[in-house]
Amino acid sequence: PHQWFRNHGRHLRRNLQSYRIEISSQVVSSQVEMPTQSFENLTVWQKSRQLVLDLYQTTRYFPKEEMFGIVNQMRRAAISITANIAEGYARIGQKDKLHFYNIAQGSLEETRSFVILSYDLGYLQEIDKERILNLAEEISRMLNSYCQGLIKYY
């Protein structure tokens, strides 16, 4: 083994050095494509957080009997949006990122459904429903764009 390393060590070191350069350039290009330092800097996460806070405020006035029904489910679905965006941000591979952003999109649709049902049940006024659904639509477009960007450029 020692003789083999002496004969091939220089070549091996040269390959490792070029591999490090390759990795370094990938890291640099990755930093250029994603200049944020944290998921908290992502506009889509900030909008999703705004949605969660808005839903918490709005659902405070729902009937008490719904506190463990639609209120709990709607809040959990909304929280899941921000949580999955954060987790997806932290993932390294394209497939992992897309998986978590897709779950966030599913939670967003679930939240939309609960908002519509809440309006149908008379728990939400139309102005509140429209405000929340418009924000949800904006978040949905942002998530879709981000996923398309990952597919196209990653």
Side-chain angles (χ1 to χ4, degrees):
H2 296 292
Q3 185 62 36
W4 181 88
F5 187 79
R6 281 188 198 131
N7 294 338
H8 296 90
R10 176 182 257 180
H11 176 69
L12 185 61
R13 279 190 294 276
R14 219 179 285 136
N15 284 344
L16 282 174
Q17 191 173 29
S18 67
Y19 183 69
R20 282 191 193 120
I21 291 168
E22 248 180 68
I23 291 173
S24 296
S25 67
Q26 287 175 357
V27 169
V28 169
S29 67
S30 171
Q31 288 174 350
V32 169
E33 289 172 12
M34 190 177 277
T36 59
Q37 298 297 321
S38 166
F39 65 86
E40 294 171 279
N41 299 111
L42 295 173
T43 306
V44 69
W45 184 85
Q46 293 168 0
K47 297 276 184 185
S48 299
R49 179 175 175 248
Q50 181 183 343
L51 178 68
V52 171
L53 297 174
D54 195 355
L55 282 171
Y56 263 79
Q57 281 293 89
T58 305
T59 57
R60 288 173 66 193
Y61 305 106
F62 279 35
K64 295 292 180 212
E65 65 266 13
E66 288 295 347
M67 199 51 66
F68 297 104
I70 200 166
V71 171
N72 186 38
Q73 289 182 297
M74 190 182 329
R75 287 176 174 182
R76 285 172 153 239
I79 289 169
S80 178
I81 300 164
T82 58
N84 281 291
I85 290 170
E87 189 160 357
Y89 176 85
R91 297 299 173 137
I92 294 172
Q94 175 203 33
K95 193 173 182 179
D96 278 343
K97 285 181 179 296
L98 287 171
H99 174 74
F100 285 99
Y101 295 143
N102 188 264
I103 292 171
Q105 188 70 279
S107 296
L108 180 62
E109 293 306 312
E110 189 178 351
T111 303
R112 282 187 194 182
S113 177
F114 289 133
V115 168
I116 294 166
L117 284 171
S118 296
Y119 174 74
D120 293 343
L121 293 167
Y123 302 150
L124 272 180
Q125 295 179 10
E126 187 166 0
I127 192 166
D128 294 325
K129 177 189 89 159
E130 292 304 318
R131 183 188 70 250
I132 294 167
L133 291 180
N134 287 339
L135 182 55
E137 179 61 32
E138 184 180 3
I139 294 165
S140 180
R141 282 194 309 270
M142 293 173 87
L143 275 172
N144 282 331
S145 294
Y146 198 72
C147 288
Q148 291 304 317
L150 279 173
I151 291 167
K152 189 173 181 179
Y153 299 111
Y154 206 87

